[in-house]
Amino acid sequence: MIRIIATIFIALPSLAAAEQNITVEKPWMRYLLPSVPAAGYLTLQNNGGADVVLTGASSPACGMLMLHKSQDSSGMAMMMDVPSVTIPAHGSITFAPGGYHLMCMQPTMKIGEIVNITLLFQDGSKLPAALPVYGPQGSP
Ligand SMILES: [Cu+2]
């Protein structure tokens, strides 16, 4: 068992870590009130030749930071947890109002601040991102 783990550990550096191929564009956070979850938005560009799977995110400014997707279902705005989001090779995924977003439970932030988050990928790699905090209207 120990030998198997060691083999996997040695094999990892030969693979390009997901975070090396991802660039973050247009990051921002929509903040309303401390009692209301804030939402993080950004575009993830995959510059690599392999799909990259985002599996989660965390931030010291959020009790929990969850992957969510908004959907309009027969006139009712609904939101659901998504276990992962795949960023296609040489493609991008946009988190934007009405679609994918990072749901920041128990936000501790102020408009005008920068919130640091960490994006977590399926291969275990992590990518930091800095999201400026805007109010309900979004970017000025
Ligand atoms: Cu949500």
Side-chain angles (χ1 to χ4, degrees):
M1 193 58 184
I2 288 161
R3 231 176 90 180
I4 292 165
I5 292 165
T7 306
I8 292 165
F9 184 76
I10 290 158
L12 273 175
S14 65
L15 301 166
E19 42 96 0
Q20 291 175 335
N21 290 324
I22 298 293
T23 46
V24 176
E25 291 160 13
K26 295 180 226 132
W28 65 287
M29 185 75 82
R30 175 187 269 165
Y31 174 72
L32 305 168
L33 294 164
S35 56
V36 177
Y41 303 112
L42 40 69
T43 295
L44 298 177
Q45 173 75 40
N46 182 357
N47 305 303
D51 290 357
V52 169
V53 181
L54 178 71
T55 53
S58 65
S59 172
C62 305
M64 270 181 83
L65 190 54
M66 306 167 79
L67 301 179
H68 271 188
K69 190 178 188 184
S70 295
Q71 274 194 333
D72 234 3
S73 146
S74 56
M76 294 263 291
M78 297 193 20
M79 196 158 64
M80 55 189 190
D81 283 320
V82 286
S84 65
V85 177
T86 299
I87 308 130
H90 302 296
S92 67
I93 287 282
T94 297
F95 285 62
Y100 286 118
H101 54 278
L102 297 163
M103 186 110 286
C104 173
M105 313 306 284
Q106 296 107 35
T108 48
M109 61 186 72
K110 288 185 192 135
I111 291 168
E113 283 182 349
I114 303 281
V115 163
N116 293 304
I117 69 167
T118 302
L119 300 168
L120 312 168
F121 299 100
Q122 195 171 52
D123 70 351
S125 61
K126 297 176 182 184
L127 181 67
L131 281 62
V133 180
Y134 300 139
Q137 281 79 34
S139 54

